[in-house]
Amino acid sequence: MKTTNNVQKAITKSLAVIISLVLISITVNAQDFWRTVMENNSFSQIAMAMTDNSEASSASADATTDMNTYANYEAVEAEAELEVENWMTNDNNFFSTVNVATEAENTLDVENWMTDENFFNGMASYFKVETEESLEVENWMQDTNYFGVLSVEVEEEADAAIEVEGWMTETAIWNM
């Protein structure tokens, strides 16, 4: 009983921690959401346009200034043509002249101790060879009544003879 109470308390505490983490993450995301909504809404611009024409004309002047500024960014820039310099074509500046030699290993020799069984049978005394008794077939194993085996007749199926049809040998079909 005491264990179930402790488990219930632990589950309750862990759920409280998880829920609080979820709520904190939602509030952090909500702050950014409302900030972007307030920055990107057009209500303030509509209100300014409807209140006074003088303000609207100054706003349109600001808009044309903004358009001119934006047009400056649209200008196509051309980069200077690249030139090939001497050091770029010189092989000594790069690692293309490094010679890589293949390494040959010495042949392995079989030494006397490698074929001596005394070196490798140290653990052999701890192993026991298990032998199983040979299996014997008893009468009940061959009794068909015991297993309820029914006699099954196997019927062989014969395929029809293959016939060559006219389209199979027609050259117009196969030589397109």
Side-chain angles (χ1 to χ4, degrees):
M1 192 70 174
K2 187 176 181 181
T3 306
T4 57
N5 288 339
N6 290 339
V7 169
Q8 289 174 350
K9 287 179 185 177
I11 291 172
T12 307
K13 287 180 183 179
S14 61
L15 282 174
V17 169
I18 291 170
I19 290 171
S20 63
L21 289 174
V22 168
L23 289 175
I24 289 172
S25 66
I26 289 172
T27 56
V28 168
N29 289 336
Q31 288 174 351
D32 292 337
F33 171 75
W34 287 114
R35 184 180 303 132
T36 56
V37 167
M38 295 308 232
E39 288 174 356
N40 295 331
N41 70 358
S42 60
F43 297 123
S44 60
Q45 295 171 355
I46 293 171
M48 286 176 53
M50 297 178 102
T51 56
D52 189 9
N53 286 339
S54 63
E55 290 178 14
S57 64
S58 66
S60 64
D62 290 341
T64 46
T65 307
D66 290 341
M67 288 301 229
N68 292 336
T69 305
Y70 181 70
N72 292 338
Y73 291 118
E74 287 185 354
V76 178
E77 292 185 17
E79 294 182 4
E81 192 173 315
L82 295 176
E83 297 177 11
V84 178
E85 298 177 9
N86 290 334
W87 68 270
M88 294 178 183
T89 57
N90 189 356
D91 286 340
N92 293 331
N93 292 333
F94 304 102
F95 293 108
S96 63
T97 58
V98 175
N99 294 329
V100 178
T102 56
E103 187 173 326
E105 294 183 0
N106 296 334
T107 58
L108 298 177
D109 295 328
V110 177
E111 298 177 9
N112 291 334
W113 67 270
M114 294 179 184
T115 56
D116 190 0
E117 291 183 15
N118 293 328
F119 286 106
F120 300 105
N121 286 335
M123 297 297 290
S125 61
Y126 295 111
F127 298 127
K128 293 182 180 177
V129 177
E130 288 187 18
T131 56
E132 294 182 357
E133 297 177 12
S134 61
L135 297 177
E136 296 178 9
V137 178
E138 298 180 10
N139 290 335
W140 66 269
M141 294 178 182
Q142 296 176 344
D143 188 8
T144 57
N145 295 329
Y146 187 80
F147 294 106
V149 176
L150 302 174
S151 62
V152 178
E153 292 182 23
V154 177
E155 185 177 313
E156 290 189 27
E157 196 172 308
D159 290 333
I162 297 175
E163 296 178 12
V164 177
E165 297 178 11
W167 66 269
M168 294 179 184
T169 57
E170 193 170 321
T171 57
I173 293 175
W174 299 107
N175 295 331
M176 289 186 182

